[in-house]
Amino acid sequence: MRWPKWGVAGLAALAGVSFWLLLAGPDRLFGIELGNAGIGLLLLVAWTTLYGLSAAPKGELDETVSPGEWRAWVGLGFTAMVAAYFILKADVIAGAADLRDLGGIGRSIVLLLVAWAVISQLLAGRWKGKVLQDERDRDIERIAASWARIALVVVVVAFVVLFGFSPVERLAWATPIAISHLLLFGLVLHSLVEYAVTAGAYWRDRHA
């Protein structure tokens, strides 16, 4: 089974609309919370993509792109979405007086992580019986992990400078809730750098 071009274009358009609703759209429209609508639409796109991946015959792309590269690109896409969501909801997080104020944000992130896990499991089924890792994969993972550690150190130092050298009156936003989400954002950036370096290394190696 091969997907028609209009089907791929339609999925891309739906994904774009869902990202807009989730990341940049208004909070409510006609009484409907658009963040939840965006998550629902994104999950519909994800599940449709899952079906397409499971039904598609194996071809040249499966032979040229290694399992490690597939995992890296999928991970990069989802961590980029989570990072963008944190950034665009920063004002909501900073103004939250209680964790109950962030219920919608938490649900959205959890649903993104669930979709990521399901897609990763489905892709793993396509590699059954195939060598999943060799020396090249381990070298790429080692380099990517080094870059990710450097990024995490830079983030921690930035936090130290921010909280250690900023006047107290400028840190009114730094509630325990805001700080905890800031730390989570640092971990997301760590993963984002690792996946980006991994995907870039595979891409350069494949096109060399």
Side-chain angles (χ1 to χ4, degrees):
M1 171 185 172
R2 291 188 177 276
W3 278 60
K5 291 183 178 180
W6 63 265
V8 176
L11 275 180
L14 287 176
V17 172
S18 66
F19 293 153
W20 178 78
L21 291 174
L22 183 61
L23 301 176
D27 292 333
R28 287 183 175 273
L29 183 65
F30 302 121
I32 300 174
E33 188 175 341
L34 293 187
N36 290 336
I39 282 292
L41 187 58
L42 182 60
L43 290 178
L44 174 63
V45 172
W47 282 112
T48 306
T49 305
L50 286 177
Y51 172 75
L53 288 172
S54 61
K58 292 185 178 181
E60 183 180 353
L61 191 60
D62 294 273
E63 299 299 326
T64 57
V65 180
S66 68
E69 184 174 356
W70 274 112
R71 287 193 297 266
W73 285 114
V74 172
L76 177 61
F78 275 96
T79 50
M81 283 190 288
V82 173
Y85 192 66
F86 267 121
I87 292 172
L88 292 171
K89 296 297 182 180
D91 56 337
V92 179
I93 295 172
D98 191 278
L99 285 176
R100 287 173 294 185
D101 297 335
L102 303 177
I105 294 176
R107 286 193 300 271
S108 298
I109 292 176
V110 168
L111 288 173
L112 284 174
L113 295 178
V114 169
W116 180 6
V118 173
I119 289 177
S120 298
Q121 285 297 112
L122 183 67
L123 286 175
R126 290 181 67 87
W127 305 321
K128 189 174 182 180
K130 186 176 181 179
V131 176
L132 299 181
Q133 191 179 60
D134 55 20
E135 191 63 32
R136 182 192 66 156
D137 297 297
R138 286 187 284 271
D139 287 340
I140 290 175
E141 287 180 0
R142 185 173 62 253
I143 294 171
S146 298
W147 278 100
R149 283 195 298 271
I150 293 172
L152 187 59
V153 169
V154 170
V155 169
V156 171
V157 171
F159 289 167
V160 170
V161 172
L162 173 65
F163 294 116
F165 294 93
S166 296
V168 175
E169 59 271 13
R170 293 187 178 181
L171 294 176
W173 59 269
T175 62
I177 291 176
I179 293 174
S180 63
H181 281 78
L182 198 59
L183 294 174
L184 285 175
F185 181 68
L187 293 177
V188 172
L189 285 181
H190 169 274
S191 297
L192 182 64
V193 170
E194 185 168 7
Y195 283 121
V197 173
T198 301
Y202 278 116
W203 187 89
R204 287 193 303 270
D205 186 61
R206 188 157 46 86
H207 291 81

